[in-house]
Amino acid sequence: MATAREDSPGHEADQGGASPTSPVAGSSAADSPATPRPAGPPAELGPAALRALSHPLRIRILDLLPSHGPLTASKLGEIVGESSGSTSYHLRQLAKHGLVREVEGKGTARERWWERTPGGFSISTLGKDSPAARQTAEAVNIEFLRLRHERVMAFVRAGQGADEETLKAWDGTTTFFSSNKWATPEQMRAIVVAWEQFTAEHIDPLSSQGDAPGMVPFEVHFDAFPTIDPAGNPL
């Protein structure tokens, strides 16, 4: 019953009708900002792409690229503790389904650079034609959520060793917010729609700034879900 969305960095090269899977080169962050995408979730992954993504290492690779920027198979191997041959194979499998793409004009024939394909994607258990398909979607969502939680905890732990100057510089840039209310499904949908509109207006325009001076990678989470199971029991 879960639907998860994974966003990706945007580039000016995605304008002009190019599809998210087109192997076009991303432009410099100094170019004009990327056109904000329409409000609403990105395209849902199809069965073949979802099966390809069900490998934990592929999810890990896909999860690393947005915050680390373009990486080679060798560098990815160092980060995840695998051989470059292994990460190269998994990158090619992800590329077959448009989830990553080679950065054109960078690297050599022996050392390719890879990035997450702009545009993002969503994964839903709704409409799956078999229990196995639903379980696959659920397993992929759970792994993305596990990795996200790991990053949150890593950030909190890193703050324990930060000096006062660093803490002051980051003051006001971070928040962890939870709110428990009662609402109808229609009211909950309205909140999700409002978040999508906020994303299109305030977050998507930041997509092309990766190489500009003073920029640091950041991550935004928004969770909205009923705190009951399918039988109506509190979670």
Side-chain angles (χ1 to χ4, degrees), residues 89-103:
Y89 169 76
H90 289 299
L91 282 164
R92 291 195 302 271
Q93 298 307 306
L94 291 170
K96 286 182 180 179
H97 298 279
L99 296 169
V100 302
R101 67 183 186 182
E102 187 177 349
V103 181

Side-chain angles (χ1 to χ4, degrees), residues 52 55 57-58 61 82 84-96 100:
H55 193 293
L57 182 55
R58 294 177 191 172
I61 290 172
E82 296 282 343
S84 59
S86 174
T87 53
S88 179
Y89 169 76
H90 289 299
L91 282 164
R92 291 195 302 271
Q93 298 307 306
L94 291 170
K96 286 182 180 179
V100 302

Side-chain angles (χ1 to χ4, degrees), residues 178-193:
S178 296
S179 180
N180 296 90
K181 309 294 183 184
W182 290 76
T184 64
E186 290 75 18
Q187 289 173 321
M188 293 167 64
R189 291 189 189 98
I191 292 172
V192 174
V193 169

Side-chain angles (χ1 to χ4, degrees), residues 2 6 8 24 26 42 45 57 90 155 160 166 172 189 192 196 209:
E6 282 291 318
S8 299
V24 292
L45 289 186
L57 182 55
H90 289 299
F155 172 79
Q160 297 175 1
T166 300
R189 291 189 189 98
V192 174
E196 294 288 353
Q209 300 185 139

Side-chain angles (χ1 to χ4, degrees), residues 208-233:
S208 297
Q209 300 185 139
D211 295 330
M215 297 296 168
V216 296
F218 81 108
E219 184 167 325
V220 178
H221 298 164
F222 170 73
D223 301 323
F225 57 94
T227 53
I228 55 173
D229 66 16
N233 301 309

Side-chain angles (χ1 to χ4, degrees), residues 15-90:
Q15 300 178 28
S19 70
T21 58
S22 298
V24 292
S27 67
S28 166
D31 293 334
S32 58
T35 302
R37 60 171 180 79
E44 185 179 342
L45 289 186
L50 196 56
R51 286 193 297 270
L53 192 53
S54 62
H55 193 293
L57 182 55
R58 294 177 191 172
I59 297 176
R60 175 68 170 151
I61 290 172
L62 203 59
D63 190 68
L64 282 168
L65 288 174
S67 59
H68 285 67
L71 294 170
T72 64
S74 297
K75 185 60 179 177
L76 272 169
E78 293 176 11
I79 296 172
V80 302
E82 296 282 343
S83 68
S84 59
S86 174
T87 53
S88 179
Y89 169 76
H90 289 299

Side-chain angles (χ1 to χ4, degrees), residues 100-181:
V100 302
R101 67 183 186 182
E102 187 177 349
V103 181
E104 294 186 1
K106 185 172 184 177
T108 65
R110 293 175 57 86
E111 191 78 297
R112 300 178 178 181
W113 289 79
W114 299 86
E115 65 182 355
R116 180 109 156 233
T117 303
F121 56 84
S122 64
I123 301 169
S124 176
T125 54
L126 181 66
K128 297 296 182 287
D129 57 3
S130 70
R134 289 192 293 273
Q135 290 171 3
T136 299
E138 184 177 272
V140 172
N141 277 338
I142 288 173
E143 183 63 11
F144 272 120
L145 288 171
R146 186 189 69 80
L147 293 172
R148 188 175 80 172
H149 177 69
E150 281 189 359
R151 280 194 303 281
V152 171
M153 298 308 296
F155 172 79
V156 172
R157 288 192 295 268
Q160 297 175 1
D163 56 35
E164 192 68 16
E165 182 178 353
T166 300
L167 292 175
K168 286 182 179 179
W170 288 101
D171 184 40
T173 67
T174 304
T175 182
F176 297 104
F177 171 78
S178 296
S179 180
N180 296 90
K181 309 294 183 184

